Amino acid sequence: MQTEKKNDTSRKNLLGLSLRELKEVAVQLGMPAFTGGQIAKWIYGNHVASIDEMTNLSKRNRELLAKEYIIGAVPPLDSQQSVDGTIKYLFPTAAGKFVETVYIPEKDRATLCVSCQVGCKMNCLFCQTGKQGYEGSLTVTDILNQIYSLPEREKLTNVVFMGQGEPLDNLDNVLKATQALTEEWGYAWSPKRITVSSVGIKGKLQRFLDESNCHLAISLHSPLHEQRMQLMPAEKAMPIKEIVETLRKYPAFIRPEGGGGMQWQRNDTSHQRRLSFEYIVFDGLNDTMTHAKEIVRLLQGLYCRVNLIRFHSIPGVELKTSDEKKMERLRDYLTGHGIFTTIRASRGQDIFAACGLLSTAKMMRDNKGSTE
């Protein structure tokens, strides 16, 4: 029987296929449709490394399957561990490129920050990934492999799509990946364990909201149109006010009548779906009381939270992070006006794994032509 090989392009991947697709594979190979369910169990339930391990399939069926397919799981090529315990992994992709994935352990939880693209089209001023340019979108297999082949996979409590790339720019594959994570035939996780981040893309945002129950995090960074456009070119195509108008169409994001003050904040985690806004705080740029008041005005009536994030310097960008007192003043003002706000702890900065620092541009240059 054939064994799986790294970068095997002659056979197709099973990892990433839905139950329906796996049943179709079985039928096309002359097997009963229920065999597709058995294959799904071996992949998503048991995390097998090869088709040989699917022992409740007959030897003949395993041979038929292995002629056309492989699992498609590939281990990370490299890893770096931070002094705070954060681990950054380098994964190869089916297209011969590379992505970075960040594992963030905490006392009672472990979060994985996954990538969905190599580089990014959005070109946000403060993001190292955007400086890399766009190298391509990941396949469903590429996305799920970051979880499937993670050494700490069994410890995971949460997955956030906040790594390299814009998730809504690769929406079909992100939706298929989250489906595999949440459906009974897959990982059977609650959608509460998954957060998808986005700058907001016209047409794609509403589709994500309609087709997924995962948490949503919107990259805000400024409530002012002109300033946000300078920081994030995507503001021109879909202004933050338009994003908020879209969000207001969904009852889960609307604060209950009379639900002001702190009471609704304490019940924040009881909602099936959480809406949050990510806000990197830049010194002297977006950390003023004017910005605080505009954020309150923009998000008024929304059931949401704001995460304040420290800026991590990148080459060629003169922005600086705001100081702790200004961040605390911003947090206290927003919280005092009914918007649950936290200051997010920075993790993995010493290994360039913190927010906005992921990039595989150097690997792409160093390995150009070597993965053909």
Side-chain angles (χ1 to χ4, degrees), residues 69 97 191 222 227 252 296 321 329 342:
Y69 292 89
K97 300 180 186 297
S222 176
Q227 188 177 70
V296 170
T321 192
R329 185 176 65 169
T342 62

Side-chain angles (χ1 to χ4, degrees), residues 166-172 175 198 200-210 238:
E166 162 56 51
L168 298 195
D169 193 42
N170 188 16
L171 183 57
D172 287 340
L175 286 175
S198 177
I201 297 182
K202 192 181 293 288
K204 301 289 185 70
L205 177 59
Q206 187 160 333
R207 185 181 158 205
F208 169 77
L209 291 167
D210 290 339
M238 191 172 189

Side-chain angles (χ1 to χ4, degrees), residues 96-134:
K97 300 180 186 297
F98 310 94
V99 290
E100 293 184 322
T101 307
V102 182
Y103 173 72
I104 309 168
E106 298 177 71
K107 289 182 180 179
D108 57 349
R109 56 192 281 143
T111 301
L112 188 69
C113 181
V114 302
S115 295
C116 62
Q117 294 180 318
V118 181
C120 185
K121 297 177 185 176
M122 300 302 111
N123 196 28
C124 295
L125 177 62
F126 47 82
C127 181
Q128 186 66 45
T129 304
K131 308 306 177 193
Q132 178 176 344
Y134 174 68

